[in-house]
């Protein structure tokens, strides 16, 4: 009887902690959705998502956030494009190439990068990357880099910030594959490179995908770096893929405009910032759901189902 009571008490405590986490997330969603609804009720969704006229302080105000959405996606995409191959191959190096003693030194150093405050990264981008890119543009005029604060600067620093997550989670996934898979591949005559590329990486693909998604969310949700280093120009680059031009992101807009929005009267400017936050949340949930589906399908494929 006592043992059963202890088990029930333990389960109740664990359920309580789990419920607190779930309810906290739900409360955040309800709070953001509640303050974003007044904007969606009084303003055109088409203008919000497809217009580039962002003049929230004009009379009447204009809330075309298309350029801001494009800026967020462009900066995040370039950051992930840089961070993923470097992170995955760094994780492969940690798990299968370097010695265990060296790994015990290198991995903690990489993980320490996640503890660096984002404002430090932003200051680094502003004082190191931005002047370097601007000088590069002066040296090579064909690059057409007018300002060092642009999408490329923000993307480079965001990729550095996403690396610790991608490396750490990917390395754990690669370690979980086990020695049996590797030794079986070697026994069949595969080389070390063939084993790593065609056996180890596919076997750990679900964990690596999770690492990529976490890194993507890290880059998409970052505020200080993009606020300080992206140039904060509410424009779609022309051409759209020109990452040497200044852009503006959703997180930087929320952080920069919240102090100017009239919170006491509940202005449209105030509510549109919550609408942007809601879009960020929904995009994050969509990525998580898609990732879960892909991971589940990958696991079924590996089991031969």
């Amino acid at each position: 009887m006592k043992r059963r009571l202890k088990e029930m008490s333990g389960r109740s405590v664990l359920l309580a902690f789990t419920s607190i986490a779930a309810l906290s997330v739900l409360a955040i969603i309800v709070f953001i959705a509640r303050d974003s609804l007044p904007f969606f009720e009084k303003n055109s969704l088409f203008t919000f998502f497809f217009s580039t006229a962002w003049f929230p302080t004009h009379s009447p105000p204009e809330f075309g956030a298309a350029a801001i959405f494009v800026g967020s996606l462009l900066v995040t995409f370039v950051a992930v494009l840089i961070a993923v191959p470097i992170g995955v191959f760094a994780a492969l190096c940690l798990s299968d190439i370097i010695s265990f003693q060296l790994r015990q030194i290198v991995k903690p150093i990489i993980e320490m990068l996640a503890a660096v405050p984002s404002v430090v990264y932003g200051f680094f981008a502003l004082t190191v990357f931005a002047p370097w890119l601007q000088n590069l543009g002066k040296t090579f005029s064909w690059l057409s880099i007018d300002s060092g604060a642009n999408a490329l600067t923000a993307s480079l620093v965001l990729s550095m910030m996403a690396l610790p997550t991608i490396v750490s989670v990917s390395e754990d996934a690669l370690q979980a594959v086990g020695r049996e898979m590797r030794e079986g591949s070697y026994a069949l005559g595969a080389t070390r490179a063939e084993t790593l590329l065609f056996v180890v990486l596919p076997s750990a693909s679900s964990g690596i995908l999770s690492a990529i998604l976490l890194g993507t969310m890290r880059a998409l949700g970052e505020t200080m770096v993009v606020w300080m280093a992206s140039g904060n120009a509410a424009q779609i680059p022309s051409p759209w893929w020109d990452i040497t031009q200044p852009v503006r992101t959703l997180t930087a807009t929320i952080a920069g405009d919240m102090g100017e929005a009239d919170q006491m009267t509940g202005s449209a400017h105030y509510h549109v910032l919550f609408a942007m936050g809601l879009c960020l949340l929904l995009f994050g949930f969509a990525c998580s759901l898609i990732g879960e589906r892909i991971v589940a399908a990958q696991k079924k494929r590996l089991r031969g189902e």
Side-chain angles (χ1 to χ4, degrees):
M1 186 67 179
K2 289 182 179 180
R3 184 178 178 180
R4 187 168 184 180
L5 285 173
K6 287 181 180 179
E7 289 179 356
M8 291 179 64
S9 300
R11 289 180 181 177
S12 300
V13 171
L14 291 174
L15 180 61
F17 281 116
T18 305
S19 300
I20 290 172
L23 289 173
S24 299
V25 174
L26 185 62
I28 292 171
I29 296 172
V30 170
F31 172 73
I32 294 177
R34 182 197 66 187
D35 279 337
S36 65
L37 283 178
F39 172 79
F40 290 121
E41 290 173 353
K42 298 177 182 179
N43 295 272
S44 168
L45 288 178
F46 183 84
T47 301
F48 179 61
F49 287 109
F50 297 102
S51 172
T52 59
W54 177 257
F55 304 108
T57 58
H58 284 192
S59 183
E62 296 182 67
F63 299 108
I68 300 173
F69 281 101
V70 170
S72 290
L73 293 175
L74 183 62
V75 167
T76 303
F77 176 75
V78 175
V80 171
L81 200 64
I82 296 170
V84 167
I86 296 174
V88 172
F89 281 103
L92 198 62
C93 181
L94 287 172
S95 67
D96 284 84
I97 297 176
I98 65 175
S99 66
F100 178 79
Q101 290 78 11
L102 185 58
R103 172 186 173 275
Q104 294 299 95
I105 299 172
V106 174
K107 188 176 180 182
I109 293 174
I110 294 174
E111 291 176 342
M112 281 176 61
L113 292 174
V116 178
S118 58
V119 68
V120 175
Y121 280 109
F123 186 73
F124 178 75
L126 207 56
T127 58
V128 177
F129 272 123
W132 177 72
L133 279 176
Q134 195 153 359
N135 291 332
L136 197 66
K138 292 178 181 178
T139 305
F140 304 99
S141 57
W142 54 271
L143 289 174
S144 301
I145 301 177
D146 298 322
S147 172
N150 52 39
L152 178 58
T153 301
S155 298
L156 286 171
V157 181
L158 285 179
S159 66
M160 292 172 58
M161 298 179 71
L163 269 177
T165 301
I166 296 175
V167 172
S168 182
V169 179
S170 296
E171 198 268 341
D172 290 340
L174 291 167
Q175 287 286 350
V177 172
R179 299 303 308 173
E180 296 82 5
M181 295 286 289
R182 294 168 170 83
E183 290 170 358
S185 176
Y186 293 143
L188 291 172
T191 64
R192 189 175 189 182
E194 289 171 340
T195 299
L196 295 179
L197 293 176
F198 301 113
V199 177
V200 177
L201 279 178
S203 300
S205 58
S206 58
I208 292 173
L209 179 61
S210 299
I212 293 171
L213 288 174
L214 289 172
T216 302
M217 293 299 101
R218 178 78 168 96
L220 182 64
E222 178 52 42
T223 302
M224 291 304 300
V225 168
V226 290
W227 191 12
M228 298 172 70
S230 65
N232 285 316
Q235 62 174 6
I236 297 177
S238 179
W240 64 267
W241 43 262
D242 187 0
I243 56 176
T244 62
Q245 296 184 31
V247 295
R248 195 172 193 181
T249 67
L250 290 169
T251 51
T253 302
I254 294 170
D257 288 15
M258 186 57 75
E260 302 175 3
D262 191 352
Q263 301 180 28
M264 299 302 293
T265 60
S267 64
H269 190 190
Y270 173 76
H271 291 298
V272 73
L273 300 180
F274 280 91
M276 289 180 169
L278 182 63
C279 291
L280 276 173
L281 272 178
L282 294 177
F283 183 78
F285 281 131
C287 286
S288 297
L289 289 175
I290 293 171
E292 288 291 334
R293 292 291 182 89
I294 295 174
V295 168
Q298 184 71 9
K299 287 181 178 178
K300 285 184 178 180
R301 187 184 68 81
L302 291 174
R303 290 197 301 263
E305 296 180 6

